[in-house]
Amino acid sequence: MADVSRLRRGGRDGGVSRAQLFLVGALALAVVFVALSLILNSAIYTENLATRSTDTAGGAAALDTRADVEAGVAGLVAYENRNREAVNPSAVESGVAELETQVRNYSVRNGRAVRVSYDSLDSGTAAEQSTEGQFLDDDGSDDWTVVEDADGLRAFEQRIRIGSLASDSEDAFATEFDDGSETHEVRLLRVGDDDLRVEVDTPSGTERCALYDGADADDSVTVDLTSATVGGEPCPALEFFEESATYDVSYDDGDAVEGTYRFVARGGSIGEVPSSTEAIYAVTVELTYHSSDLDYETTIRVAPGEPDA
């Protein structure tokens, strides 16, 4: 009897031990599966992160190259307009080829293949008043048409002596832009003794911006009409130009301002400005960029100072 009892107790102890082994084994497998899951997810995340980093780096380098090409072509346009009395497409094409050599030599050292090729140019007329004075035509009129039927305007800058401006809207100097369906009148006023304000009459009302302060009455401020800035600061009220519009531009009360101005127009006819000459309006080039991470091709049109450029 004693022997049978010991056998039975031994059988129960063995069953409990086996159950404990199964439980420990199951827990161990669960831990292994969780660890494997974490390892796999970590590997996938690392791979995705590496891929994104590579794409971002490649894209940034391509955009930097594009910005360098745009700056180089803009400099070429400025140089040609400053140093030639007439547009010379061959000189522009040669200038683009020289720019390509510089960009290509720099890029190849960084494992990139870059090509820049001349495509075309648009000619226009550069007009200016380079000697400070009132904004009058050759006959001394203070209300006159500056340019008519221009299908493009860029780099339209007026450098204004603040103390010369009127302080009342009714008497203020204004530049009027008429596209045949809408008219925008840009007035420049003196506020107090030495501040400048821009007011723009639009079909929907008057907008104001760019109260320029911290200057003396004898100081001059640049109002860039096509880049929508005053003294280098954004002026949202000037952001009204339409890309496909054709503009007549006129000065009203040109005797209520003193300063200089300049602009480049495409098409149309120029009024009796002090000086005008043939000029490059825009240059178009083709850019191709190849690296181990990215292939990129695009057409770049460079028209410095054009609205939305």
Side-chain angles (χ1 to χ4, degrees), residues 8-188:
R8 287 178 179 174
R9 285 196 300 271
R12 283 197 301 272
D13 291 343
V16 171
S17 298
R18 286 193 296 272
Q20 290 176 342
L21 287 173
F22 284 135
L23 180 60
V24 171
L27 290 174
L29 287 174
V31 171
V32 170
F33 289 146
V34 170
L36 287 173
S37 176
L38 291 174
I39 292 171
L40 289 173
N41 287 336
S42 177
I44 293 171
Y45 173 76
T46 302
E47 182 179 355
N48 288 337
L49 184 61
T51 302
R52 288 199 301 270
S53 299
T54 300
D55 292 343
T56 301
L63 292 178
D64 287 344
T65 301
R66 174 180 177 139
D68 290 342
V69 170
E70 288 179 341
V73 175
L76 173 62
V77 170
Y79 176 84
E80 290 293 319
N81 285 342
R82 185 172 58 248
N83 292 282
R84 298 184 190 275
E85 296 181 356
V87 174
N88 187 337
S90 298
V92 175
E93 188 169 1
S94 297
V96 173
E98 293 177 8
L99 174 65
E100 184 204 27
T101 299
Q102 296 174 9
V103 174
R104 186 179 65 238
N105 290 344
Y106 173 80
S107 299
V108 74
R109 292 196 295 269
N110 294 280
R112 303 161 190 150
V114 176
R115 290 288 310 275
V116 182
S117 58
Y118 169 82
D119 182 75
S120 62
L121 67 77
D122 295 335
S123 60
T125 303
E128 67 176 348
Q129 175 175 293
S130 58
T131 301
E132 183 172 306
Q134 296 178 327
F135 289 5
L136 311 176
D137 70 359
D138 287 348
D139 297 327
S141 175
D142 60 350
D143 297 331
W144 57 289
T145 299
V146 181
V147 57
E148 190 173 8
D149 293 330
D151 63 2
L153 288 168
R154 70 170 182 83
F156 201 144
E157 297 180 356
Q158 298 170 340
R159 186 157 180 80
I160 306 300
R161 186 171 64 82
I162 297 175
S164 69
L165 297 172
S167 57
D168 186 276
S169 296
E170 295 296 325
D171 302 321
F173 162 68
T175 307
E176 187 176 277
F177 297 87
D178 184 355
D179 66 3
S181 60
E182 294 184 346
T183 300
H184 291 76
E185 184 178 86
V186 180
R187 292 191 300 272
L188 304 182

